Amino acid sequence: MSKATEQNNNLTCLAQVNDENRLFEVYENEDLRWLSIDGCVQTAMSLERPDALMFPHMLFMVLPLNVMHHVSRALELGLGGGGILRHLSTHFPKIQIEVVEYESTVIELYQRHFNPQQQNHTIHCMDARQFMSNLDSQPFDLIFVDVFDSEQPVPLMFEPDFYQDLKKHADNTGWIVLNTVLTSQSHLEKLHKILSETFLGATIYGYKAEQFANFVWLISLDNTRLDPIWRAQALFELKL
């Protein structure tokens, strides 16, 4: 039991799982339930409003839905606690959603603690890079990339071929959304260069929430522009 649990009677530990030297924990208080991996909070869910987006960067991630005219298929690489999945399922129930998650423990904890409506989605337990390399299906209108490592950036985030696969399997009028945690300026510049070279002819928006490490990249493959109020909040708007 963690010290935080001992010091706060309103805090309850629902699960602790050690899997391949990684610690997965689920806690809740009167308002929230959250998933922690190796001591780092990965996602949170409102007990009263499970569909609510709980962190500022998640608001940025769904901005394309405000301007997209048609979304029938979406792909999410990285499940976590299912925040984006719950939001889409509640507010855009007609969208067919596929999810790819590498950690079987994360999938199990999601099903037990973060899927209150027991939604039945297609969740693939496999490596995101392998999934994209072997994918043979109709293009996706919207692709979310939200892969996470508690210690360092996931290597595939700097693999140009990975982004070529994303582009290949995205609809020509679609959007690709990246949620990254890059605290190094050199990593940000490296990814900026890769995206600029891969998505020629597209428009890329960059967003950073105050007091959070998350940096969100929104890629409009057909140069659809976001609403003016959200464009004004972007750190940059780059038309390639």
Side-chain angles (χ1 to χ4, degrees), residues 180-194:
T180 63
V181 179
L182 303 174
T183 56
S184 164
Q185 182 65 27
S186 62
H187 283 159
L188 285 167
E189 293 175 356
K190 183 177 181 179
L191 182 53
H192 188 284
K193 183 175 185 294
I194 292 172

Side-chain angles (χ1 to χ4, degrees), residues 3-214:
K3 292 183 179 179
T5 306
E6 294 171 347
Q7 295 171 358
N8 190 338
N9 293 330
N10 294 324
L11 185 64
T12 302
C13 179
L14 301 179
Q16 284 187 329
V17 180
N18 281 286
D19 186 11
E20 296 184 359
N21 295 320
R22 303 192 73 189
L23 177 61
F24 301 83
E25 299 172 291
V26 178
Y27 289 97
E28 75 173 19
N29 57 24
E30 295 177 354
D31 302 309
L32 301 174
R33 181 175 296 169
W34 61 93
L35 171 66
S36 174
I37 302 179
D38 292 333
C40 180
V41 175
Q42 204 275 340
T43 189
M45 179 181 75
S46 166
L47 297 179
E48 182 179 358
R49 283 278 312 277
D51 61 295
L53 299 173
M54 301 304 296
F55 297 110
H57 68 271
M58 299 176 75
L59 296 174
F60 298 143
M61 292 175 68
V62 300
L63 287 180
L65 290 163
N66 295 331
V67 295
M68 296 181 74
H69 298 295
H70 175 75
V71 186
S72 61
R73 303 186 72 237
L75 172 67
E76 184 178 13
L77 303 179
L79 171 63
I84 294 294
L85 182 57
R86 283 191 306 276
H87 182 79
L88 293 181
S89 300
T90 301
H91 299 279
F92 304 90
K94 294 184 179 180
I95 299 179
Q96 177 188 343
I97 308 168
E98 289 192 55
V99 182
V100 180
E101 170 57 52
Y102 178 73
E103 300 277 4
S104 60
T105 299
V106 169
I107 297 174
E108 180 183 351
L109 292 175
Y110 162 76
Q111 297 289 15
R112 285 169 48 195
H113 301 289
F114 296 95
N115 187 13
Q117 278 78 39
Q118 295 303 303
Q119 298 269 2
N120 185 23
H121 296 287
T122 301
I123 301 178
H124 307 273
C125 184
M126 63 186 303
D127 177 75
R129 186 71 184 90
Q130 180 183 0
F131 179 85
M132 293 305 303
S133 298
N134 299 328
L135 188 60
D136 183 17
S137 65
Q138 295 180 345
F140 292 95
D141 303 298
L142 186 57
I143 299 178
F144 296 95
V145 181
D146 194 7
V147 293
F148 173 81
D149 190 295
S150 59
E151 296 182 355
Q152 58 188 356
V154 179
L156 69 81
M157 299 303 296
F158 302 109
E159 295 180 8
D161 288 348
F162 172 65
Y163 296 99
Q164 291 291 346
D165 283 337
L166 292 178
K167 184 177 180 181
K168 175 182 176 182
H169 295 292
D171 188 86
N172 292 333
T173 62
W175 288 71
I176 297 172
V177 177
L178 311 177
N179 176 31
T180 63
V181 179
L182 303 174
T183 56
S184 164
Q185 182 65 27
S186 62
H187 283 159
L188 285 167
E189 293 175 356
K190 183 177 181 179
L191 182 53
H192 188 284
K193 183 175 185 294
I194 292 172
L195 297 180
S196 299
E197 293 175 349
T198 302
F199 296 101
L200 291 175
T203 298
I204 302 179
Y205 297 88
Y207 287 90
K208 176 73 168 61
E210 291 291 334
Q211 300 180 352
F212 283 79
N214 304 72

